[in-house]
Amino acid sequence: MRNGFRALQRTVLWLLCCVGVSGTAMAAPTLWEVRDAEGGVRAYLFGAIHLCHAACYPLPAAVEAAFARAERTVFELDVSDPSLARTLVKAGRLPEGQTLKTLMPPELYAQLHDASKTVGLPVSQMQSLQPWFASTLLMALAANQAGFTTEAGVDGVLQLRARESGKPVLALETAARQIEALSGGGERAQEAALRQTVGMVTRGEIGDFLSRMVAAWQDGDDAELEALMFEGADRDAVAPLFAALIDVRNREMTDRLETLMAEPGVLFVTVGGGHLVGEQGIPAALAARGWQVVRR
């Protein structure tokens, strides 16, 4: 199980890259420029994808130029935080006396058994996990089998590059806040999200799913991303979870960004692409608060 927990630590942001992706069609991976009232550049906002492979690179020239110009970098989480793994493992366990087998319908547990076998993890090692933890762990291991890793994920690569170049790395959130969002939406939404994941893993669809997601991200195809977000899921059932993962956090991250932009130094902000699109996306929220926000 130790290897599985390490995989989860690296891929806890997985769910966040593929939700909340409605809005105006984009022509390439999203990059926004944020200026203050005097016209000074305060930040660049880049929509990343969390699981990828070599096909994600090189990044567009405009993204590279913005990253080079920025004096500080901002990510959803600081993955170097030594407390991250401990926080995830502690929060990801069910209360004493509860198991997934007792919590979920028999047919869903049977699918979980098959999905666990597919990724080479005995279902007995999943029994004590919260549904969101089990879902994320299954996705992480299946993605790795298909050749997609967070080591090649765009946000992970940029965070490593920032550290190597001496740029400060700042976080928009804590691990505890992301866990709160991942575990939100209520029991029905959590069950629906787990059902979506185990179905895709059992049917061997993860590799194709992620390939299509990367292609849609590179093309800026919002319609395809939205279709992928709900693929195999009960839209009504998972809607409260997506609201917790995207809409609420967008408002909180916008507040945090305003605080950071009030400090010296241009920011390069990397978040899951779904946070930057639509009427409730971060660019729209900043524009509503008086910032000049322009798509690059």
Side-chain angles (χ1 to χ4, degrees):
M1 192 60 180
R2 185 178 302 170
N3 289 337
F5 283 143
R6 283 202 294 264
L8 178 60
Q9 180 186 0
R10 294 192 302 267
T11 57
V12 67
L13 300 182
W14 147 248
L15 289 177
L16 308 183
C17 75
C18 59
V19 294
V21 286
S22 60
T24 304
M26 301 177 291
T30 311
L31 178 67
W32 296 86
E33 184 178 86
V34 183
R35 294 178 176 266
D36 59 26
E38 288 71 40
V41 176
R42 301 303 307 134
Y44 298 98
L45 310 178
F46 179 49
I49 192 165
H50 303 302
L51 286 164
C52 204
H53 47 49
C56 284
Y57 305 94
L59 295 174
V63 174
E64 291 288 2
F67 183 82
R69 180 181 180 189
E71 298 158 274
R72 298 178 293 159
T73 62
V74 184
F75 299 87
E76 293 179 34
L77 278 181
D78 178 355
V79 296
S80 71
D81 183 350
S83 69
L84 177 58
R86 295 192 300 273
T87 302
L88 289 171
V89 171
K90 181 178 179 180
R93 293 194 178 278
L94 288 166
E96 188 72 25
Q98 291 187 10
T99 67
L100 286 175
K101 186 174 184 178
T102 60
L103 288 178
M104 63 181 57
E107 50 84 19
L108 179 54
Y109 182 78
Q111 291 183 55
L112 176 66
H113 182 279
D114 293 342
S116 298
K117 184 177 180 180
T118 297
V119 299
L121 188 67
V123 72
S124 60
Q125 296 186 16
M126 305 280 287
Q127 284 285 10
S128 63
L129 305 184
Q130 294 279 356
W132 66 265
F133 199 138
S135 181
T136 308
L137 179 56
L138 284 172
M139 178 61 75
L141 297 175
N144 285 339
Q145 285 182 339
F148 293 82
T149 68
T150 50
E151 285 82 2
V154 174
D155 48 350
V157 167
L158 288 176
Q159 190 163 148
L160 178 61
R161 285 178 54 187
R163 294 189 187 284
E164 290 176 341
S165 64
K167 294 180 187 286
V169 172
L170 307 170
L172 291 174
E173 298 178 311
T174 64
R177 178 64 189 97
Q178 287 209 343
I179 289 167
E180 181 184 10
L182 283 166
S183 59
E187 292 183 7
R188 181 170 178 248
Q190 287 290 318
E191 180 181 313
L194 180 59
R195 189 180 296 276
Q196 178 189 29
T197 300
V198 297
M200 293 177 65
V201 172
T202 302
R203 294 189 298 269
E205 297 173 351
I206 296 300
D208 176 69
F209 175 80
L210 292 176
S211 293
R212 287 184 285 133
M213 178 167 288
V214 169
W217 170 76
Q218 290 177 319
D219 294 341
D221 188 341
D222 284 8
E224 176 65 5
L225 284 172
E226 185 169 14
L228 288 167
M229 170 179 68
F230 288 106
E231 188 165 284
D234 181 332
R235 285 177 177 251
D236 291 336
V238 298
L241 175 58
F242 291 161
L245 283 170
I246 296 295
D247 298 341
V248 174
R249 292 174 59 238
N250 279 355
R251 294 191 289 272
E252 295 170 353
M253 288 193 282
T254 301
D255 291 340
R256 170 72 169 149
L257 283 175
E258 285 199 294
T259 298
L260 292 174
M261 287 191 293
E263 301 170 359
V266 176
L267 301 172
F268 186 92
V269 183
T270 306
V271 295
H275 292 291
L276 301 186
V277 298
E279 295 181 357
Q280 298 191 62
I282 293 172
L286 287 172
R289 299 183 189 193
W291 296 88
Q292 301 176 41
V293 187
V294 179
R295 174 69 191 274
R296 305 303 297 173

